[in-house]
Amino acid sequence: MTTLQETKPTKEMLNAKEYVNNVFELVKQRNSNENEFHQAVKEIFDSLVPVFAKKPIYMEHGILERMVEPERMITFRVPWVDDNGKVHVNRGFRVQFNSAIGPYKGGLRFHPSVNASIIKFLGFEQIFKNSLTGQPIGGGKGGSDFDPKGKSDNEIMRFTQSFMTELSKHIGPDTDVPAGDIGVGAREIGYMFGQYKRLRGAYEAGVLTGKGVGYGGSLGRTEATGYGTVYFVQEMLKDKGDSFEGKTVVISGSGNVSTYAIEKATELGAKVVACSDSSGYIYDKNGINLDTVKRLKEVERKRISEYVNEHTEAEFVEGCGGIWSIPCDIALPCATQNEIEIADAKLLVANGVKAIGEGANMPSTLEAIDLFLENNVLFGPAKAANAGGVAVSALEMAQNSARLNWTFAEVDEKLQEIMKDIYRNSVNAAEEYGHPGNLVIGANIAGFVKVADAMITQGVI
Ligand code: NDP
Ligand code: 2IT
């Protein structure tokens, strides 16, 4: 990243850079054509140069070589039968990346774009994100190239049951605990939990998180990622004597993360004027009516374009990328990876954006991130800003182990504390390693150190 060029190249720095570059070359060779994985690795590696320069012990222990190699990568066949009796075969994945500080933990994504590269980028990032939460959880991720769009409830059930039939052999409350991600929400988690319970013949509540509150789920988990992203941005703004009050906000996506980011930003006095799905975006200058979005998306499972039928003053524009051309004070990308490219970032900056909070995983390209940092836009990177979801998943695991339930207020209060801690730890790490204000570097370092230290303590494993 360009920000590193500001650092004086001492001998230690050059050694560290050489180490990082060598391991990165190895990653590219061994994982050819996995561009998303390369991108996620590159961002972390560049951030860690000052750490290796200061503490060469990490290099001596081959930490990066070990960290980039998943402990285990499982790929499996998922056969299922559609409503017309036709057989389909999808591919299932679970990457168990790192268990140094706790059982593998991370979501499952059902989307046609899912492949090994996407699962590995998500699993790799999850290691550092989970470490940042301060909770005892390792990094994992999984999913399938199954497309839930247009499928009936019964098809979704048959697919998820088949998926779980294989996945169940590899997970458990103390080994690996999946949850939701794109295309996997309360409905899918319910079907998967039912199938897991049936296969195990035991009620192991802590094997999945994001469960319904009636059968072991935590109050506040549904809201946690979106709320957490807004809490994180609130901390960034507070440090500058600012707040959400009166701000114009653009939030991409209209799924789980987006919906609850819209809810919390609005509650804090902002006006959210746009959201999107993969077919396009809606712009409502009066502020998005969230009740309509929730009904369309959570209940009726319709397209966001239907919003304008009920709110005639709003407009729908085809193509989701155009959302970043809307002038705003705060932008929260909450849909998918690489949704903010350099051209989008330039538009946002030209239109005077003050803060970005990444609700999605890796939504900004490396070039876009550099542009935001160069222009002093407050930038909350995904691993830090969207960690609220997995943090509350860990709180769900804690409640399951203790066989009790906390109130919504208790969970929300803990979430706010966790987001404040992540912010503070990222700020402090950035400062300690010579990049004050750079939360990309700060979050990556703060997440890394805890995992690396645990790995060294546990020997060469
Ligand atoms: P959902 O499936 O609930 O919603 C995803 C939203 O993003 C939908 O509006 C979807 O539109 C849109 N979207 C998905 N893929 C694309 C694409 N390729 N191009 C354009 N739009 C797309 O998922 P979540 O809200 O759970 O996840 C959103 C992001 O947040 C992801 O990056 C996920 O990894 C991340 N995240 C999720 C967490 C969670 O707890 N759920 C926690 C931390 C991060 P459409 O319906 O048309 O596909
Ligand atoms: O990317 C993420 O952090 C998630 N999809 C949530 C993972 C979890 O285990 O709650």
Side-chain angles (χ1 to χ4, degrees), residues 110-127:
F110 292 169
H111 193 272
S113 63
V114 163
N115 57 28
S117 173
I118 287 182
I119 294 300
K120 278 159 71 181
F121 113 65
L122 289 163
F124 188 66
E125 296 222 309
Q126 201 83 41
I127 303 169

Side-chain angles (χ1 to χ4, degrees), residues 105-107 126 129 141 177 179-181 209 221 361 386 389-390 393:
K105 180 84 197 87
Q126 201 83 41
K129 181 198 305 192
K141 198 83 190 189
V177 182
D181 194 82
T209 60
R221 175 62 186 91
N361 285 307
N386 75 34
V390 75
S393 277

Side-chain angles (χ1 to χ4, degrees), residues 153 187-188 295-303:
D153 249 6
R187 172 178 61 170
E188 293 73 20
R295 178 171 42 74
L296 285 175
K297 287 300 190 177
E298 291 182 346
V299 184
E300 298 170 1
R301 297 181 188 277
K302 287 189 173 157
R303 308 307 296 157

